Amino acid sequence: MIKTDVIDQIAFELFEAEKQKKAVNKFVDAYPELDEALAYQVQEHLVEMKCKEENTKRIGLKLGLTSKAKQEMMGVHEPSYGILLESMQLFEGEKISLAPFIHAKLEPEIAFIFNKELKGPHVTVADVLQATEYIAPAVEIIDSRFHGFKFTLADAVADNSSSSRFIIGERFYSPKNFDLKLMGMVFKQNGEVVATGAGAAVMGHPARAIAWLANRLYKVGQSIQPGEVVLSGSLSAAIKIEAGDHFTAGFDGLGSVEAIFTE
């Protein structure tokens, strides 16, 4: 019974934090029992609350903490994942108001769209590529509900892995024509290059991150479904967004995706 109370309480506080745009303190201090397994239960509950409130549905998943540097910085040894909802998707060309966010940052990602189920526990990079209908350039707006973007892995997982909004570019390609490991990326903010990277920045290969995800989902009786989109993890550090910013993430052979922000 107590566990259910903790799940409800943390999910409610995170739900309210996002709604009111007010950051909260880490939960692991107040709830020492908040481990990774419990945190994914909080995430599930939080997502259910959002689906009901926003009259939306799940359309995919996202990976977080996929780079070694980020894992070391956070003191963790594996990535995390979160749920993408239809209400989180934005489209290229529309100006994005910063009003709904606490302290938003932007990350360049490669989006995968699947035409086959990916079910663990033994999914490989080859399986991921075979099940992928399309890849496309993408950017993800992350927005931690914690003060100063400071959290533990369990906190981040409970907070749906800092997910907020995402944009997928309008051109889709078969992954068969690319070496995703070597695919270069240039990230620009107001015309200036702020980061460069390659697919290998995401666990050595973006599809390896998705294989990890499919195998991890297996442990909780879930799988990646046909038609779902998965954001495979950032190819660079996240960049803080200011009103008036114009970002472009360009990927070799995939083209680019842009995001324009207002007050």
Side-chain angles (χ1 to χ4, degrees):
M1 181 59 201
I2 291 166
K3 247 183 188 172
T4 319
D5 288 351
V6 169
I7 292 166
D8 287 350
Q9 185 59 33
I10 297 173
F12 174 75
E13 286 187 42
L14 286 167
F15 183 79
E16 286 298 310
E18 183 171 5
K19 212 161 133 184
Q20 314 290 341
K21 295 181 309 208
K22 285 195 168 67
V24 292
N25 293 320
K26 291 186 297 192
F27 289 107
V28 289
D29 304 332
Y31 303 99
E33 65 271 47
L34 182 65
D35 60 6
E36 198 184 335
L38 194 63
Y40 277 112
Q41 290 178 44
V42 173
Q43 183 189 108
E44 277 290 326
H45 189 47
L46 176 63
V47 166
E48 279 164 24
M49 289 170 76
K50 285 167 74 71
C51 285
K52 213 166 170 180
E53 168 91 0
E54 297 166 16
N55 190 22
T56 189
K57 60 177 200 253
R58 299 168 183 234
I59 57 169
L61 296 126
K62 60 151 280 184
L63 282 134
L65 306 174
T66 47
S67 78
K68 268 279 163 271
K70 192 87 176 269
Q71 287 176 18
E72 280 164 16
M73 195 172 92
M74 294 300 307
V76 302
H77 61 281
E78 64 173 17
S80 66
Y81 65 85
I83 311 291
L84 297 178
L85 301 174
E86 201 169 48
S87 56
M88 294 178 179
Q89 185 164 11
L90 303 172
F91 297 93
E92 249 190 312
E94 54 185 10
K95 290 191 171 170
I96 304 159
S97 165
L98 284 178
F101 307 111
I102 299 170
H103 38 203
K105 296 181 181 186
L106 198 68
E107 295 183 333
E109 313 228 356
I110 298 169
F112 286 66
I113 295 106
F114 293 92
N115 60 8
K116 293 189 185 79
E117 183 189 23
L118 266 180
K119 189 172 184 181
H122 304 300
V123 173
T124 64
V125 167
D127 296 332
V128 172
L129 295 173
Q130 205 201 348
T132 303
E133 177 91 6
Y134 300 116
I135 54 170
V139 285
E140 185 189 6
I141 301 170
I142 59 167
D143 190 27
S144 171
R145 268 53 70 172
F146 297 107
H147 286 294
F149 256 90
K150 289 189 167 40
F151 44 73
T152 65
L153 178 65
D155 287 306
V157 163
D159 188 29
N160 201 17
S161 290
S162 308
S163 61
S164 192
R165 305 284 190 280
F166 65 97
I167 301 172
I168 297 175
E170 285 159 13
R171 283 170 293 186
F172 294 78
Y173 297 87
S174 164
K176 294 175 179 63
N177 309 329
F178 299 95
D179 183 343
L180 291 177
K181 188 176 180 168
L182 299 178
M183 180 179 281
M185 182 281 303
V186 177
F187 197 25
K188 290 181 178 176
Q189 180 182 27
N190 307 321
E192 298 287 317
V193 175
V194 284
T196 57
V202 181
M203 292 179 74
H205 193 299
R208 184 169 293 127
I210 294 173
W212 173 87
L213 172 64
N215 295 330
R216 181 68 181 73
L217 287 171
Y218 177 79
K219 294 181 180 176
V220 288
Q222 295 176 20
S223 59
I224 297 168
Q225 296 295 312
E228 285 192 324
V229 60
V230 177
L231 299 180
S232 54
S234 184
L235 277 73
S236 78
I239 305 292
K240 190 175 188 305
I241 306 166
E242 306 284 356
D245 275 347
H246 179 182
F247 286 90
T248 321
F251 298 79
D252 287 349
L254 281 190
S256 61
V257 58
E258 13 184 302
I260 300 160
F261 294 89
T262 60
E263 288 289 349

